[in-house]
Amino acid sequence: MTKWVWKGLQTGIKTTAYPGSPETAAGVSPGRPGWKDPVERKKIMSLMDLCPTGALRPTEERISMDYRRCIHCFRCRRFPAEPLDWEPGYEWGEIVSNQGNLGKTFSNSLHIRIVDAGACGACLSEIGHITSPYYNIHRLGFFITPTPRTADVLLVAGPGTDHMRLPLEKVFEAMPAPKRVVAVGTCALTGGIFGKSFATRAGVGEIVPVDVEVPGCPPPPLAIIHALLVTAGRKKPPDAPSYPGTEREEGRS
Amino acid sequence: MMETGILFVVVFLICGLGVILAAVLPDRKNPPALAFVASLATLTLLWASGRVLFSDHAIFNSLWRVTPLIRLSIEIDRVSSFFLFITGLVFFPVSIFSAGYLKKYLGSYSLKSFALFYHLLFASIVLILIAGDVFSFFIAWEAMSILSYLLVNYEHGHEENTRSGFLMLAMSEAGTLAALVAFLIMAKTSGGIDFGSLRSLSLGQSARWGVFLLSFLGFGVKAGLVPVNSWLPRAHPAAPGNVSALLSGVILNLGIYGIIRINADFLPLKDVGQGLTVLAIGTLSALIGILYATPENDMKRMLAHSSIENMGIITAGLGAGFVFISSGHSVLGGIAFIAAFYHMANHSLYKALLFLGAATVDSRVGGRDMDRMGGLIRKMPWTSLFYLIGALSIAALPPFNGFVSEWLTLQSFLQCSALTSKGVKIAFALCGAGLALTAGLAVTCFVKAFAMSFLGMARSEAAQNASDPPHSMTIPMGILGIYCFLLGILPTYVIPQIDHVVVPFVHESALDALVPPFFTVGEGNERFPKAFVSEFHDLGAQVGSDTLPGRGLVIMHRGSTRNPVIFAMSPSYTIIVLVLLLVSGIVVVRVLTRKRALARRAAWDGGVRRLAPTMTYTATGFSNPVRVIFNAVLRPVTIQDSKETIAQHFLNAIKKDKREIHLVDRLFIRPIIDGGRLLAAWLGRMHSGRVNTYAAYVLLALMIVLMIQMLA
């Protein structure tokens, strides 16, 4: 026991400094496609064929990147002779509804209810990490609750399977207002690789009104923390990307 | 004075009328007739015993001489009138209840015989309590034992009931025999069998112990004390609901009556050891009773185990009283006796209420298994309300009556600081801790009993379709509920009456010590110095003195100067404060939240498609922590029942069940039965079947007799 305390003191604080200062450790985020120079037409066509989910799409002379569909397969980065540039970073949470953030009352205390709406497990694994000693959301005043009755934020992962439709609706109904829904991962945003099928919806937005979106497949823990900070009004959502030849798709499909 | 005697004659005449009516009327008309005649008899009894109890004249009447030795007589003093009064209080609502309840037996069992036994049982119980000599006492006692057996065994169609009935009868007769021997030991020296001559009796130490043990064990059978309690949890589920109410509300008290009669009245216990024995047995009964009540799912068996617990608390209070009196602390003894008597009255009332509730549920739901109930509060609101009152009372929660008497019992235990012997003090501390644990478990037990049967979702179709019984059945429960409430908020009016009852045993009134005359306290009361009174005046102890009669509304004991242990409580003011707190709480919440929007949502069910009753808590699940914690005591035996096919290699079905063999059965009854069997087997070996051997036996016996004759 004494050894344990001593070891802890010796080791010091290892928890990430984010959001106080940016996290610089290697491998905290896979990054995502993002480029600085204009891309040629020929290259666009080859990249399009490579993209399995249609995240890269041509629009007239330019190429558009839909992060809500990107599954981080790295095909556009590894396979072409001239790979597409990827950008590092993890501040991906975006407010998509007109409800805005939760406001000052919740800025230092946010209670989160997690619902798995048919996720493959990757997103849940990343969500699991946010309470780990390294990311430790409790230091931010964020807590995970076992019941929707005390929850302010509904964190959903997965495309929204038919079987989870009713529980999801019930959870949302059971939460007291004001409440926000954070959709985590590509599946929760657009259906991801499951897409709209006989058993799943194209994202949980078809079941509950999503307020904040976290793209990524899976989004790294820091991206989820960023989204929660955005929900609580402690961080701003990222500015619209200014990469040449990139166009963000407006609205939700 | 004579009028009271005539009233008792009237009681018996009405019972006789009831017997005749029962025999004459057809089955269909018998229940209403029973309710009418029996309530008339009980009202007369209440009047008669009330006259004795409240106006303090004892009745002694010699009836007639049977033989030169046996002279039948009746004797009604304060104690018997107190028991008679409780009997009347319980019998009255139960009789009304019977009118509606008995209808379910119409066509299947003879209601004629039920009414007949019922009136005779009532008469025999009254006779026990007014008997003035050993002969009439035991005649009435035997009649009561047999009649209660007949009533318990009323549903004789089920084999289980018959077995329970036989066990009850056998144990009851064994107890009677022990008590009879105790009486005979006393009668041998006193030379007379009327109670008057038994009182003026002096016995040696060993004879006293003999009388004490025999009478305590013998009457303990009727009171359901450990280790002679086995019949009680078996008899209650077998008995019809209204008989159960009488069994727990009236007949168990008779055991206590017998113990008190002998050990406090005829041969007052002088030895501290005897008092401690009573105390220990009482505590043990209380603890074992509640330990088995808590995990029990059969509603009536649970109540039966709880009766054992309450009888244990009463006995423990009596034991404490005996110890205090024999060590010279009469006032403290008085307090303990008052606590015990108060608890007995309370137990009779709330247990009768709970048994009537259980009988109602049983007849409306068609089963006693609490696992199959649930949600009855919406189907049977009145029954639930009254059952809740009973459950709160028995769980000793204010403002109901159980709280007052359990509080008093525990307080009287704390007074052991006045005693000198260290060993006795330790015994008191242990027993006090045992009773405290009992009180805690009782809350668990009755939270479970109420919540699992009346709250939540209906766990069976029968529970889904239940409905409240007619008012003829709910009103009796209401009457008992009102008793429970009144005894809970007006103890300062009840305690003087009980004090009156126990003074003959204690020889000193504990009234001034327990219910100080705060309403009339003047300048010069030496018990309460002026400064002390003014302090209590500041606390509001004299609030209401202008409008209310009586001594005060505060129960208080100041202790001696050496042990200034002060305890004080006022249930009457507590209820006022409780109501005020509740109202002000509601007002504060309303004011604070008046601007907030209110959203009503269905209860959170975990998001399941449809909350099925099978997903909710059951009685078994709720009480399982107790079962696990006390596993070492309960020791459930796993019974595996499997069906096999094809050379025992494939299992078709496995049914696992857990059965608990009662601790007392395991440690006390089983060894006795095994010992008896062994002895019988050993003796059986002398039956060889040869004539010569038997001739030798005869010769041997003759020689032994002759030798004894020569020696003697």
Short mmCIF file of all heavy atoms in Angstrom, two decimals, chain A residues 9 15 25 50 52 87 138 179:
data_model
loop_
_atom_site.label_atom_id
_atom_site.label_comp_id
_atom_site.label_asym_id
_atom_site.label_seq_id
_atom_site.Cartn_x
_atom_site.Cartn_y
_atom_site.Cartn_z
N LEU A 9 3.28 8.86 -6.42
CA LEU A 9 3.90 10.17 -6.28
C LEU A 9 5.08 10.31 -7.22
O LEU A 9 5.31 11.36 -7.83
CB LEU A 9 4.35 10.38 -4.83
CG LEU A 9 3.22 10.62 -3.83
CD1 LEU A 9 3.76 10.60 -2.41
CD2 LEU A 9 2.51 11.95 -4.11
N THR A 15 -2.17 12.06 -16.66
CA THR A 15 -3.41 12.35 -17.37
C THR A 15 -3.16 13.44 -18.41
O THR A 15 -2.34 14.33 -18.20
CB THR A 15 -4.47 12.81 -16.36
OG1 THR A 15 -4.61 11.80 -15.38
CG2 THR A 15 -5.81 13.04 -17.03
N ALA A 25 0.89 13.69 -27.57
CA ALA A 25 1.39 12.32 -27.60
C ALA A 25 1.08 11.65 -28.92
O ALA A 25 0.06 11.95 -29.55
CB ALA A 25 0.77 11.52 -26.46
N LEU A 50 -11.45 4.36 -54.73
CA LEU A 50 -10.89 3.72 -53.55
C LEU A 50 -11.78 3.87 -52.32
O LEU A 50 -11.81 3.01 -51.45
CB LEU A 50 -9.52 4.34 -53.24
CG LEU A 50 -8.37 3.84 -54.08
CD1 LEU A 50 -7.13 4.66 -53.79
CD2 LEU A 50 -8.12 2.37 -53.84
N PRO A 52 -14.55 3.44 -49.92
CA PRO A 52 -15.63 2.44 -49.87
C PRO A 52 -16.98 3.00 -49.42
O PRO A 52 -18.00 2.40 -49.67
CB PRO A 52 -15.11 1.41 -48.88
CG PRO A 52 -14.21 2.18 -47.98
CD PRO A 52 -13.63 3.29 -48.78
N GLU A 87 -4.76 15.04 -42.19
CA GLU A 87 -4.44 16.05 -41.17
C GLU A 87 -4.51 15.39 -39.79
O GLU A 87 -5.34 14.51 -39.56
CB GLU A 87 -5.41 17.21 -41.25
CG GLU A 87 -6.87 16.77 -41.14
CD GLU A 87 -7.79 17.88 -40.70
OE1 GLU A 87 -7.35 19.02 -40.64
OE2 GLU A 87 -8.97 17.56 -40.42
N HIS A 138 -13.70 12.73 -15.28
CA HIS A 138 -14.23 13.20 -14.00
C HIS A 138 -13.58 14.50 -13.57
O HIS A 138 -14.18 15.31 -12.90
CB HIS A 138 -14.04 12.14 -12.92
CG HIS A 138 -14.71 10.85 -13.27
ND1 HIS A 138 -14.08 9.64 -13.10
CD2 HIS A 138 -15.91 10.59 -13.81
CE1 HIS A 138 -14.90 8.68 -13.54
NE2 HIS A 138 -16.00 9.23 -13.96
N LYS A 179 -31.80 18.76 -22.39
CA LYS A 179 -31.01 17.57 -22.70
C LYS A 179 -30.44 17.69 -24.11
O LYS A 179 -31.00 18.37 -24.95
CB LYS A 179 -31.88 16.33 -22.58
CG LYS A 179 -33.18 16.40 -23.36
CD LYS A 179 -34.07 15.24 -23.00
CE LYS A 179 -35.49 15.45 -23.54
NZ LYS A 179 -36.40 14.41 -23.09
#
